[in-house]
């Protein structure tokens, strides 16, 4: 149909960092999705945004550190870096990085607002952890971009546990986030 602009697709790769894959907060479920994530990145036709959970040396003194007393994703440590296979999949891709100090990212909202027309985009999220950072960002995006199609690929996400992963997917479905299974 003439006059219709093609929708711009955005892939948000959430916190695929070493500490969440096989480091201090890693899990077998996280390791199991790495291949799906790398394949998605390599084959994605659109813009890519990569988030980094980012904490300072004072992490244990923060509100999050008091509730989750496991130091992780301390900036510039090995655990803060992307999983090596994810980093390799991104090698020949242009992507934007966003460091976030907590679960959901207002910087992500600001970046999308400043660089895209929300009426002309579709957003897909993948990454870790489904039940913390993925769900937080999906719901932030949905509440800021009401008419934008927001999707989460369940096969490219893992939660703290299989049960909390499923619960987060159900929560997102109930909030009109499209869950790809």
């Amino acid at each position: 149909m003439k006059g219709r602009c093609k929708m711009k697709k955005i892939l948000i790769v959430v916190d695929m960092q070493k500490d969440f894959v096989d480091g201090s907060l890693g899990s077998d479920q996280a390791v199991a999705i790495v291949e799906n994530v790398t394949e998605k990145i390599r084959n994605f036709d659109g813009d890519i945004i990569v988030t980094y959970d980012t904490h300072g040396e004072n992490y244990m003194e923060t509100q999050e550190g008091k509730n989750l007393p496991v130091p992780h994703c301390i900036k510039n440590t090995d655990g803060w870096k992307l999983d090596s296979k994810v980093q390799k999949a991104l090698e020949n891709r242009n992507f934007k990085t966003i460091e976030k100090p907590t679960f959901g990212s207002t910087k992500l909202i600001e970046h999308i607002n400043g660089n895209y027309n929300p009426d002309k985009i579709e957003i897909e999220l993948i990454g870790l952890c489904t039940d913390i950072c993925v769900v937080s960002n999906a719901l932030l995006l949905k509440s800021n971009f009401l008419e934008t199609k927001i999707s989460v690929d369940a096969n490219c996400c893992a939660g703290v546990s299989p049960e909390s992963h499923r619960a987060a997917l159900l929560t997102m479905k109930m909030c009109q986030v499209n869950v790809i299974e």
Side-chain angles (χ1 to χ4, degrees):
M1 186 187 327
K2 273 192 169 178
R4 270 186 79 127
C5 293
K6 185 178 177 187
M7 294 297 258
K8 182 77 169 175
K9 294 185 177 191
I10 302 169
L11 179 67
I12 300 174
V13 180
V14 179
D15 301 353
M16 286 298 299
Q17 294 158 270
K18 184 167 178 44
D19 272 347
F20 290 128
V21 176
D22 59 5
S24 61
L25 292 172
S27 69
D28 291 341
Q29 293 87 4
V31 170
I33 68 161
V34 169
E35 198 60 42
N36 292 346
V37 168
T38 59
E39 185 176 333
K40 174 79 73 172
I41 290 168
R42 282 193 292 272
N43 295 317
F44 190 76
D45 184 22
D47 291 356
I48 299 176
I49 301 170
V50 177
T51 69
Y52 282 78
D53 191 50
T54 303
H55 301 293
E57 294 294 332
N58 69 333
Y59 172 77
M60 294 299 285
E61 299 162 26
T62 66
Q63 182 72 27
E64 182 180 326
K66 291 174 184 167
N67 286 289
L68 177 63
V70 179
H72 65 280
C73 298
I74 307 299
K75 189 168 181 167
N76 297 323
T77 64
D78 283 342
W80 179 76
K81 295 176 184 172
L82 290 177
D83 172 84
S84 61
K85 291 177 183 175
V86 172
Q87 183 66 53
K88 185 164 179 56
L90 287 163
E91 272 180 5
N92 296 316
R93 303 295 310 253
N94 288 324
F95 61 95
K96 165 78 175 155
T97 60
I98 294 178
E99 293 179 14
K100 55 184 197 53
T102 189
F103 313 127
S105 176
T106 56
K107 287 182 185 178
L108 184 58
I109 303 303
E110 291 167 6
H111 174 74
I112 291 170
N113 262 329
N115 292 283
Y116 300 95
N117 176 348
D119 296 329
K120 305 281 185 210
I121 60 173
E122 292 180 0
I123 299 171
E124 182 175 342
L125 293 95
I126 60 175
L128 300 168
C129 293
T130 319
D131 44 345
I132 302 172
C133 293
V134 174
V135 69
S136 295
N137 283 291
L139 295 179
L140 266 174
L141 290 161
K142 191 65 182 171
S143 65
N144 279 274
F145 307 114
L146 302 176
E147 297 301 321
T148 299
K149 182 179 181 184
I150 311 287
S151 300
V152 171
D153 187 336
N155 295 310
C156 293
C157 294
V160 173
S161 70
E163 297 78 22
S164 62
H165 169 75
R166 287 190 296 276
L169 294 174
L170 181 59
T171 296
M172 288 185 278
K173 283 181 187 178
M174 296 303 294
C175 294
Q176 300 177 4
V177 171
N178 179 47
V179 175
I180 303 163
E181 301 207 48

